[in-house]
Amino acid sequence: MSQAVQVSQLQSYERSLLRSRLSLTRADRPRVFSLGGREWDLFDEVFAPVYSPSTSVALELLGLNDLEAGGRSGSFLEIGCGTGVIAVTAALAGCERVVAADISPAAVENAAVNADRHGVTRQVRAVHSDLFSGLREQERFDTIFWSSNYVMGPAGYEYKTVHERAYVDTGYQAHRRFVEQAVHWTAPGGRVLLHFSDRGDLPALYDIADDCGRELVTVAGRRVREGEYGEDMVEHMLIEIRPLAA
């Protein structure tokens, strides 16, 4: 198989939408799953980390995959929190104020339940938010993180379920808003971190950054096998988004 065909299959939005449907309807979809040495509740219609390596990879890229990891501090915002694994783990690692935001009401509830499960309800607040729309006007964060829906779908595609939004971004509309807006929500010295992969369109992301006056810097990466729905090797990367110097 040629490299061009392999890339096309990796970046296929139809393939990602099929994965979305399969992960919702599997007979073995669990109510509770294990990840990062902990147990987590999984609600219906919420992205299931057991069928994708992305959440475990995100923990590793952020340095949160060690159960004994600590020494974190400050505030942490997770966009697209899903079950809340990243947000809750950040709180367990020492972040004093964590916001877990998601466009899916079921995911917001799921993240809140997992915060309670792990005893961090004082640190973690789950909010219904389309990117930054549900945040308090004056909130600012030391770290903003999004494990994005990096597969690009056609701009005219209409989502059939909110769950599909976890898999595909139509026309990279959400990515453009995130790249442009995220830096405005950082505290002084704060960082914006995007978990992306080569299943996404990296040149398109760089074009968006240029349009928005942003610099993209890859700060970590890991190559992993997809596993559950294919044996493709996928390069995951943690990209810092910075404003261009004036």
Side-chain angles (χ1 to χ4, degrees):
M1 184 182 297
S2 72
Q3 184 176 1
V5 171
Q6 287 178 319
V7 170
S8 176
Q9 289 183 348
L10 278 177
Q11 296 181 345
S12 166
Y13 83 96
E14 293 99 337
R15 186 180 183 185
S16 289
L17 293 175
L18 176 60
R19 290 182 176 191
S20 170
R21 291 192 293 273
L22 289 173
S23 71
L24 287 177
T25 57
R26 289 177 59 136
D28 61 348
R29 182 180 167 94
R31 295 289 183 179
V32 175
F33 66 95
S34 298
L35 184 63
R38 298 184 174 93
E39 299 289 302
W40 307 90
D41 287 283
L42 173 62
F43 284 23
D44 293 339
E45 300 182 9
V46 176
F47 178 85
V50 291
Y51 302 136
S52 167
S54 61
T55 304
S56 60
V57 171
L59 286 171
E60 184 171 344
L61 292 174
L62 290 168
L64 294 172
N65 56 319
D66 185 350
L67 278 175
E68 303 303 319
R72 301 301 177 96
S73 61
S75 52
F76 186 97
L77 167 65
E78 182 184 13
I79 296 295
C81 64
T83 56
V85 169
I86 302 296
V88 169
T89 304
L92 291 168
C95 291
E96 299 92 352
R97 179 171 61 90
V98 177
V99 173
D102 205 291
I103 197 170
S104 163
V108 175
E109 185 180 358
N110 199 162
V113 165
N114 279 321
D116 183 61
R117 173 188 271 270
H118 293 289
V120 290
T121 54
R122 289 188 178 183
Q123 297 104 299
V124 178
R125 185 175 99 252
V127 300
H128 183 224
S129 184
D130 179 1
L131 293 183
F132 308 101
S133 67
L135 302 181
R136 296 166 183 162
E137 186 176 347
Q138 299 304 317
E139 281 190 286
R140 298 294 182 268
F141 299 90
D142 297 306
T143 302
I144 296 174
F145 173 73
W146 182 29
S147 184
S148 78
N149 50 349
Y150 36 68
V151 175
M152 184 190 289
Y157 178 78
E158 295 185 7
Y159 294 110
K160 306 299 188 295
T161 66
V162 68
H163 189 262
E164 289 185 345
R165 292 178 181 270
Y167 286 78
V168 170
D169 182 15
T170 54
Y172 270 12
Q173 296 172 68
H175 281 80
R176 180 173 291 275
R177 289 163 52 214
F178 183 81
V179 168
E180 196 282 321
Q181 297 173 16
V183 297
H184 302 304
W185 294 91
T186 56
R191 304 178 75 193
V192 176
L193 299 172
L194 174 70
H195 175 197
F196 202 74
S197 91
D198 59 5
R199 293 188 64 229
D201 189 331
L202 195 58
L205 184 68
Y206 271 89
D207 286 344
I208 289 170
D210 287 343
D211 290 346
C212 296
R214 304 287 181 256
E215 178 186 17
L216 303 181
V217 179
T218 300
V219 295
R222 186 182 173 209
R223 191 166 178 80
V224 301
R225 191 176 301 279
E226 287 284 273
E228 188 67 27
Y229 294 121
E231 294 302 310
D232 303 301
M233 295 300 296
V234 175
E235 184 71 28
H236 290 256
M237 58 206 82
L238 188 65
I239 298 173
E240 183 169 359
I241 299 170
R242 304 170 181 171
L244 285 174

